[in-house]
Amino acid sequence: MIQMAVLGAVIGAVLYGLIVVVAPPKRTAAVELGQFDAHYRSQPEQAEHEPTVSTTPHLELRLGGWVSAQLAQRGIRYRALRQDLALTRQSFDALMGRKVVAAGGGFLLALLGLGFAQYGAGVSLPPGAPLMAGLLLGAALFVAPDVDVRKEAHRRRREFTEHLAIYLELVALEMAGYAAAEAALPQAARHGGTWSMLLIRDTLLRARLSGEDRWDALTALGERIGVPDLRDLGALVKTVADDGAQVRQTLSARAASMRRALLAEDDAEAKRRKQSMGLAGLLIAAGFMLFIGYPAFVNISL
């Protein structure tokens, strides 16, 4: 009896630890924005490897750093995941540590649970079932932390694209007021207080202090956070940089193109949800018909 209680307590502790690792507590928006704006770096390598101020255990960070180093030696970069992490201000090492801990905890949980069911409760299981279940659960939990990161990054990337279209229109308006492109970029960024405008403003400030070309800085930012519209903007503008009117037209055309793409994405999402609602309605109707017709069918069969 004592052994069963101890085993149950161990399983409960492992399950609680998995919940905390896979779905950590959410930080407030003010904390995320402050960390995003205060600790961002202009170089991709620094942004990728710089640890984020968090409550991540030191052991988890060290484990994630070791895994990250092993992956880098084998040429596995996780480029898309690094872009998502840069956009959500999370550390790659911390995420890899969380993935490894979640996988190990899932493997241990399945092994203990099915082992208890097989040897403690007398449930008959195929040979090797606990080990196979542990491997499957560990693999599933290894991938699980990526889902929340990619979902949040998709939301932030779309929000950034919406604000970028507005920003480009503001830059074009500043240039229409006889402002040079180099002056119009930081002036337009002052008109917004969103996290995306703050990020653009911080990038331009760092570019000015370091002597880097501002269009190149914005291109590097687009590459770092995975926003193609911003990544391609610098090269596009440089082709017409000698003509201010063409720069304004290029910025306005790119902003209009971004808005059309966002509208098309919204339309596709609305159609998808409409189809889902139609399918749900058909399933409800089929269930209702089955519920109504089942008594009659039973009476006829009897």
Coordinates of all heavy atoms in Angstrom, one line a residue, residues 21-83:
V21 N 6.4 22.8 -17.4 CA 7.4 22.9 -18.5 C 6.7 23.2 -19.8 O 7.2 24.1 -20.6 CB 8.3 21.6 -18.5 CG1 9.1 21.6 -19.8 CG2 9.1 21.6 -17.3
V22 N 5.7 22.4 -20.2 CA 5.1 22.5 -21.5 C 4.3 23.8 -21.6 O 4.3 24.5 -22.6 CB 4.2 21.3 -21.8 CG1 3.5 21.5 -23.2 CG2 5.1 20.0 -21.9
A23 N 3.6 24.2 -20.6 CA 2.7 25.4 -20.6 C 3.1 26.3 -19.4 O 2.4 26.3 -18.4 CB 1.2 25.0 -20.5
P24 N 4.2 27.0 -19.5 CA 4.7 27.8 -18.4 C 3.7 29.0 -18.2 O 3.0 29.4 -19.1 CB 6.1 28.3 -18.9 CG 6.0 28.2 -20.4 CD 5.1 27.1 -20.7
P25 N 3.8 29.6 -17.0 CA 2.9 30.8 -16.7 C 3.2 31.9 -17.7 O 4.3 32.2 -18.0 CB 3.2 31.1 -15.3 CG 3.8 29.9 -14.7 CD 4.6 29.2 -15.8
K26 N 2.1 32.6 -18.1 CA 2.2 33.7 -19.1 C 2.7 34.9 -18.4 O 2.2 35.2 -17.3 CB 0.9 33.9 -19.8 CG 0.4 32.8 -20.6 CD 1.3 32.5 -21.8 CE 0.7 31.3 -22.6 NZ 1.6 31.0 -23.8
R27 N 3.6 35.7 -19.0 CA 4.0 37.0 -18.5 C 3.0 38.0 -18.9 O 2.4 37.9 -20.0 CB 5.4 37.3 -18.9 CG 6.5 36.4 -18.3 CD 7.8 36.6 -19.0 NE 7.8 36.3 -20.4 CZ 8.8 36.4 -21.2 NH1 9.9 36.9 -20.7 NH2 8.7 36.1 -22.5
T28 N 3.0 39.1 -18.2 CA 2.1 40.2 -18.6 C 2.7 40.9 -19.9 O 3.8 40.8 -20.2 CB 2.0 41.3 -17.5 OG1 3.3 41.8 -17.3 CG2 1.5 40.6 -16.2
A29 N 1.8 41.6 -20.6 CA 2.2 42.3 -21.8 C 3.2 43.3 -21.6 O 4.1 43.6 -22.4 CB 0.9 42.9 -22.5
A30 N 3.1 44.1 -20.4 CA 4.1 45.1 -20.1 C 5.5 44.5 -19.9 O 6.5 45.1 -20.4 CB 3.6 45.9 -18.9
V31 N 5.6 43.4 -19.2 CA 6.9 42.7 -19.0 C 7.4 42.3 -20.4 O 8.6 42.5 -20.6 CB 6.7 41.6 -18.0 CG1 8.0 40.8 -17.9 CG2 6.3 42.1 -16.7
E32 N 6.6 41.6 -21.2 CA 7.1 41.2 -22.5 C 7.6 42.3 -23.4 O 8.7 42.2 -24.0 CB 6.0 40.4 -23.2 CG 5.7 39.1 -22.6 CD 4.7 38.3 -23.4 OE1 4.2 38.8 -24.4 OE2 4.4 37.1 -23.1
L33 N 6.8 43.4 -23.4 CA 7.2 44.6 -24.2 C 8.5 45.2 -23.7 O 9.4 45.6 -24.4 CB 6.1 45.6 -24.2 CG 6.4 46.9 -25.0 CD1 6.6 46.5 -26.5 CD2 5.2 47.8 -24.9
G34 N 8.6 45.3 -22.4 CA 9.8 45.9 -21.8 C 11.1 45.0 -22.1 O 12.1 45.6 -22.5
Q35 N 11.0 43.7 -22.0 CA 12.1 42.8 -22.3 C 12.4 42.9 -23.8 O 13.6 42.9 -24.2 CB 11.8 41.4 -21.8 CG 11.7 41.3 -20.3 CD 11.4 39.8 -19.9 OE1 11.2 39.0 -20.8 NE2 11.4 39.6 -18.6
F36 N 11.3 42.9 -24.6 CA 11.5 42.9 -26.0 C 12.3 44.2 -26.5 O 13.2 44.1 -27.3 CB 10.2 42.8 -26.7 CG 10.2 42.5 -28.2 CD1 10.2 41.2 -28.6 CD2 10.4 43.5 -29.1 CE1 10.3 40.8 -29.9 CE2 10.4 43.2 -30.5 CZ 10.4 41.8 -30.9
D37 N 11.9 45.3 -25.9 CA 12.5 46.6 -26.4 C 13.8 46.8 -25.7 O 14.7 47.4 -26.3 CB 11.5 47.7 -26.0 CG 12.0 49.0 -26.5 OD1 12.3 49.2 -27.7 OD2 12.1 50.0 -25.7
A38 N 14.0 46.4 -24.5 CA 15.2 46.7 -23.7 C 16.4 45.8 -24.1 O 17.5 46.3 -24.0 CB 15.0 46.7 -22.2
H39 N 16.2 44.6 -24.4 CA 17.3 43.6 -24.5 C 17.5 43.2 -26.0 O 18.3 42.3 -26.2 CB 17.0 42.4 -23.7 CG 16.9 42.7 -22.2 ND1 18.0 42.9 -21.4 CD2 15.8 42.8 -21.4 CE1 17.6 43.2 -20.2 NE2 16.3 43.1 -20.1
Y40 N 16.8 43.8 -26.9 CA 17.0 43.4 -28.3 C 18.4 43.8 -28.8 O 18.8 44.9 -28.5 CB 15.9 43.9 -29.2 CG 15.5 43.0 -30.3 CD1 14.4 42.1 -30.0 CD2 16.2 42.9 -31.5 CE1 14.1 41.2 -31.0 CE2 15.8 42.0 -32.4 CZ 14.7 41.2 -32.2 OH 14.4 40.3 -33.2
R41 N 19.0 43.0 -29.6 CA 20.3 43.4 -30.2 C 20.2 43.4 -31.7 O 19.4 42.8 -32.3 CB 21.4 42.3 -29.8 CG 21.6 42.3 -28.3 CD 22.3 43.6 -27.8 NE 22.6 43.5 -26.4 CZ 21.8 44.0 -25.5 NH1 20.6 44.5 -25.8 NH2 22.2 43.9 -24.2
S42 N 21.1 44.2 -32.3 CA 21.0 44.4 -33.7 C 21.7 43.3 -34.5 O 21.4 43.1 -35.7 CB 21.8 45.7 -34.1 OG 23.1 45.6 -33.7
Q43 N 22.5 42.4 -33.9 CA 23.2 41.3 -34.6 C 22.4 40.1 -34.4 O 21.9 39.8 -33.3 CB 24.6 41.1 -34.0 CG 25.5 42.3 -34.3 CD 25.7 42.6 -35.7 OE1 25.7 41.7 -36.5 NE2 25.8 43.8 -36.1
P44 N 22.2 39.3 -35.4 CA 21.4 38.0 -35.3 C 22.0 37.1 -34.3 O 21.2 36.4 -33.6 CB 21.4 37.5 -36.8 CG 21.7 38.7 -37.6 CD 22.6 39.6 -36.8
E45 N 23.3 36.9 -34.3 CA 23.9 35.9 -33.4 C 23.7 36.3 -32.0 O 23.4 35.4 -31.1 CB 25.4 35.8 -33.7 CG 25.8 35.2 -35.0 CD 25.7 36.2 -36.1 OE1 25.5 37.4 -35.8 OE2 25.7 35.9 -37.3
Q46 N 23.7 37.6 -31.6 CA 23.5 38.0 -30.3 C 22.1 37.8 -29.9 O 21.7 37.4 -28.8 CB 23.9 39.4 -30.1 CG 25.4 39.7 -30.2 CD 25.7 41.2 -30.2 OE1 24.9 42.0 -30.5 NE2 26.9 41.5 -29.8
A47 N 21.2 38.1 -30.8 CA 19.7 37.9 -30.5 C 19.4 36.5 -30.4 O 18.5 36.1 -29.6 CB 18.9 38.5 -31.7
E48 N 20.1 35.6 -31.1 CA 19.8 34.2 -31.0 C 20.3 33.5 -29.7 O 19.6 32.7 -29.1 CB 20.4 33.4 -32.2 CG 19.7 33.7 -33.5 CD 20.5 33.1 -34.7 OE1 21.5 32.5 -34.4 OE2 20.0 33.2 -35.8
H49 N 21.5 33.9 -29.3 CA 22.1 33.2 -28.1 C 22.0 34.0 -26.8 O 22.3 33.5 -25.8 CB 23.6 33.0 -28.4 CG 23.7 32.1 -29.7 ND1 23.4 30.8 -29.7 CD2 24.2 32.4 -30.9 CE1 23.7 30.3 -30.9 NE2 24.2 31.3 -31.6
E50 N 21.5 35.2 -26.8 CA 21.4 36.0 -25.6 C 20.3 35.5 -24.7 O 19.1 35.4 -25.2 CB 21.1 37.5 -25.9 CG 21.0 38.4 -24.7 CD 20.5 39.7 -25.1 OE1 20.3 40.0 -26.3 OE2 20.3 40.5 -24.2
P51 N 20.5 35.1 -23.5 CA 19.4 34.6 -22.7 C 18.4 35.7 -22.3 O 18.8 36.8 -22.1 CB 20.2 34.1 -21.4 CG 21.4 34.9 -21.4 CD 21.8 35.2 -22.8
T52 N 17.2 35.3 -22.2 CA 16.1 36.2 -21.9 C 15.9 36.2 -20.4 O 16.0 35.2 -19.7 CB 14.8 35.8 -22.6 OG1 15.1 35.7 -24.0 CG2 13.7 36.8 -22.3
V53 N 15.6 37.4 -19.8 CA 15.4 37.4 -18.4 C 14.1 36.7 -18.1 O 13.0 37.1 -18.5 CB 15.2 38.9 -17.9 CG1 14.9 39.0 -16.4 CG2 16.5 39.7 -18.2
S54 N 14.1 35.6 -17.4 CA 13.0 34.8 -17.1 C 13.2 34.0 -15.8 O 14.2 34.1 -15.2 CB 12.7 33.8 -18.3 OG 13.8 32.9 -18.4
T55 N 12.3 33.1 -15.6 CA 12.4 32.2 -14.4 C 12.8 30.8 -14.8 O 12.6 29.9 -14.1 CB 11.0 32.1 -13.7 OG1 10.0 31.6 -14.7 CG2 10.5 33.5 -13.2
T56 N 13.5 30.7 -16.0 CA 14.0 29.4 -16.4 C 15.0 28.9 -15.5 O 16.0 29.6 -15.2 CB 14.5 29.5 -17.8 OG1 13.5 30.1 -18.7 CG2 14.9 28.2 -18.4
P57 N 14.9 27.7 -15.0 CA 16.0 27.1 -14.1 C 17.3 27.1 -14.8 O 17.5 26.9 -16.0 CB 15.5 25.7 -13.8 CG 14.0 25.8 -14.1 CD 13.8 26.7 -15.2
H58 N 18.4 27.3 -14.0 CA 19.7 27.3 -14.5 C 20.1 26.0 -15.2 O 20.8 25.9 -16.2 CB 20.7 27.6 -13.4 CG 22.1 27.7 -13.9 ND1 22.6 28.7 -14.8 CD2 23.2 27.0 -13.6 CE1 23.9 28.5 -15.0 NE2 24.3 27.5 -14.3
L59 N 19.7 24.8 -14.6 CA 20.0 23.5 -15.1 C 19.3 23.4 -16.5 O 19.9 22.8 -17.4 CB 19.5 22.4 -14.2 CG 19.7 21.0 -14.6 CD1 21.2 20.7 -14.8 CD2 19.1 20.0 -13.6
E60 N 18.1 23.9 -16.6 CA 17.4 23.8 -17.9 C 18.1 24.6 -19.0 O 18.2 24.1 -20.1 CB 16.0 24.3 -17.7 CG 15.1 24.0 -18.9 CD 13.6 24.4 -18.6 OE1 13.1 23.9 -17.7 OE2 13.1 25.3 -19.4
L61 N 18.6 25.7 -18.6 CA 19.4 26.6 -19.6 C 20.7 25.9 -20.0 O 21.1 25.9 -21.2 CB 19.7 27.9 -19.0 CG 18.6 29.0 -19.0 CD1 19.0 30.2 -18.2 CD2 18.3 29.3 -20.5
R62 N 21.4 25.3 -19.0 CA 22.6 24.6 -19.3 C 22.4 23.4 -20.2 O 23.1 23.1 -21.2 CB 23.3 24.1 -18.0 CG 23.8 25.3 -17.2 CD 24.5 24.8 -15.9 NE 25.7 23.9 -16.3 CZ 26.4 23.3 -15.4 NH1 26.1 23.3 -14.1 NH2 27.4 22.5 -15.8
L63 N 21.3 22.7 -19.9 CA 21.0 21.5 -20.8 C 20.6 22.0 -22.2 O 21.0 21.4 -23.2 CB 19.8 20.8 -20.1 CG 19.3 19.5 -20.9 CD1 20.4 18.5 -21.0 CD2 18.1 18.9 -20.2
G64 N 19.8 23.0 -22.3 CA 19.5 23.6 -23.6 C 20.7 24.1 -24.4 O 20.7 23.9 -25.6
G65 N 21.6 24.7 -23.6 CA 22.8 25.2 -24.3 C 23.7 24.0 -24.8 O 24.2 24.1 -25.9
W66 N 23.7 22.9 -24.1 CA 24.5 21.8 -24.6 C 23.8 21.2 -25.8 O 24.5 20.8 -26.8 CB 24.6 20.7 -23.5 CG 25.3 19.5 -23.9 CD1 26.7 19.3 -24.0 CD2 24.7 18.3 -24.4 NE1 27.0 18.0 -24.4 CE2 25.8 17.4 -24.7 CE3 23.4 17.8 -24.5 CZ2 25.6 16.1 -25.2 CZ3 23.2 16.5 -25.0 CH2 24.3 15.7 -25.3
V67 N 22.5 21.0 -25.8 CA 21.7 20.5 -26.9 C 21.9 21.4 -28.1 O 22.1 21.0 -29.3 CB 20.2 20.3 -26.6 CG1 19.4 19.9 -27.8 CG2 20.1 19.3 -25.5
S68 N 21.8 22.8 -27.9 CA 22.0 23.7 -29.0 C 23.4 23.6 -29.6 O 23.5 23.7 -30.9 CB 21.8 25.1 -28.5 OG 22.0 26.1 -29.5
A69 N 24.4 23.4 -28.8 CA 25.8 23.3 -29.3 C 25.9 22.0 -30.2 O 26.6 22.0 -31.2 CB 26.8 23.3 -28.2
Q70 N 25.3 20.9 -29.7 CA 25.3 19.7 -30.4 C 24.6 19.8 -31.8 O 25.1 19.3 -32.8 CB 24.7 18.5 -29.6 CG 25.5 18.2 -28.3 CD 26.9 17.7 -28.6 OE1 27.1 16.9 -29.5 NE2 27.8 18.3 -27.8
L71 N 23.5 20.5 -31.8 CA 22.8 20.7 -33.1 C 23.6 21.5 -34.0 O 23.6 21.3 -35.2 CB 21.4 21.3 -32.8 CG 20.4 20.4 -32.0 CD1 19.1 21.3 -31.7 CD2 20.0 19.2 -32.8
A72 N 24.2 22.6 -33.5 CA 25.0 23.5 -34.3 C 26.2 22.7 -35.0 O 26.5 23.0 -36.1 CB 25.5 24.7 -33.5
Q73 N 26.8 21.8 -34.2 CA 27.9 21.1 -34.7 C 27.5 20.1 -35.9 O 28.3 19.8 -36.8 CB 28.6 20.2 -33.6 CG 29.3 21.0 -32.6 CD 29.9 20.2 -31.5 OE1 29.8 18.9 -31.5 NE2 30.5 20.8 -30.5
R74 N 26.2 19.7 -35.9 CA 25.7 18.9 -36.9 C 25.0 19.6 -38.0 O 24.3 19.0 -38.8 CB 24.8 17.8 -36.3 CG 25.6 16.8 -35.5 CD 24.7 16.1 -34.5 NE 25.4 15.1 -33.7 CZ 26.3 15.3 -32.7 NH1 26.4 16.6 -32.3 NH2 26.9 14.4 -32.1
G75 N 25.0 21.0 -38.0 CA 24.4 21.8 -39.0 C 22.9 21.9 -38.9 O 22.3 22.4 -39.9
I76 N 22.4 21.6 -37.8 CA 20.9 21.8 -37.6 C 20.7 23.1 -36.9 O 21.1 23.3 -35.8 CB 20.4 20.6 -36.7 CG1 20.7 19.3 -37.3 CG2 18.8 20.8 -36.5 CD1 20.3 18.1 -36.4
R77 N 20.1 24.1 -37.7 CA 20.0 25.4 -37.2 C 18.6 25.8 -36.7 O 18.5 26.8 -35.9 CB 20.3 26.4 -38.4 CG 21.7 26.3 -38.9 CD 22.7 26.8 -37.9 NE 22.5 28.2 -37.6 CZ 23.0 28.9 -36.6 NH1 23.8 28.3 -35.8 NH2 22.7 30.2 -36.5
Y78 N 17.6 25.1 -37.0 CA 16.2 25.5 -36.6 C 16.0 27.0 -37.0 O 15.6 27.8 -36.1 CB 16.0 25.3 -35.1 CG 15.7 23.9 -34.7 CD1 16.6 23.0 -34.1 CD2 14.4 23.4 -34.9 CE1 16.3 21.7 -33.8 CE2 14.0 22.1 -34.5 CZ 15.0 21.3 -33.9 OH 14.7 20.0 -33.5
R79 N 16.2 27.3 -38.2 CA 16.1 28.7 -38.6 C 14.8 29.3 -38.4 O 14.6 30.4 -37.8 CB 16.5 28.9 -40.1 CG 16.6 30.3 -40.6 CD 17.2 30.3 -42.0 NE 17.1 31.7 -42.6 CZ 16.1 32.1 -43.3 NH1 15.1 31.3 -43.5 NH2 16.2 33.4 -43.8
A80 N 13.7 28.7 -38.8 CA 12.4 29.2 -38.6 C 12.0 29.3 -37.2 O 11.4 30.3 -36.7 CB 11.3 28.3 -39.4
L81 N 12.4 28.3 -36.4 CA 12.1 28.4 -34.9 C 12.9 29.5 -34.3 O 12.3 30.2 -33.4 CB 12.5 27.0 -34.3 CG 12.2 26.9 -32.8 CD1 10.7 27.1 -32.5 CD2 12.6 25.6 -32.3
R82 N 14.1 29.8 -34.7 CA 14.9 30.9 -34.1 C 14.2 32.2 -34.5 O 14.2 33.1 -33.6 CB 16.3 30.8 -34.7 CG 17.2 29.7 -34.1 CD 18.6 29.7 -34.7 NE 19.4 28.7 -34.2 CZ 20.1 28.7 -33.1 NH1 20.1 29.7 -32.3 NH2 20.9 27.6 -32.7
Q83 N 13.7 32.3 -35.7 CA 13.0 33.6 -36.0 C 11.7 33.8 -35.2 O 11.4 34.9 -34.7 CB 12.6 33.5 -37.5 CG 13.8 33.6 -38.5 CD 13.4 33.5 -39.9 OE1 12.3 33.0 -40.2 NE2 14.2 34.0 -40.8

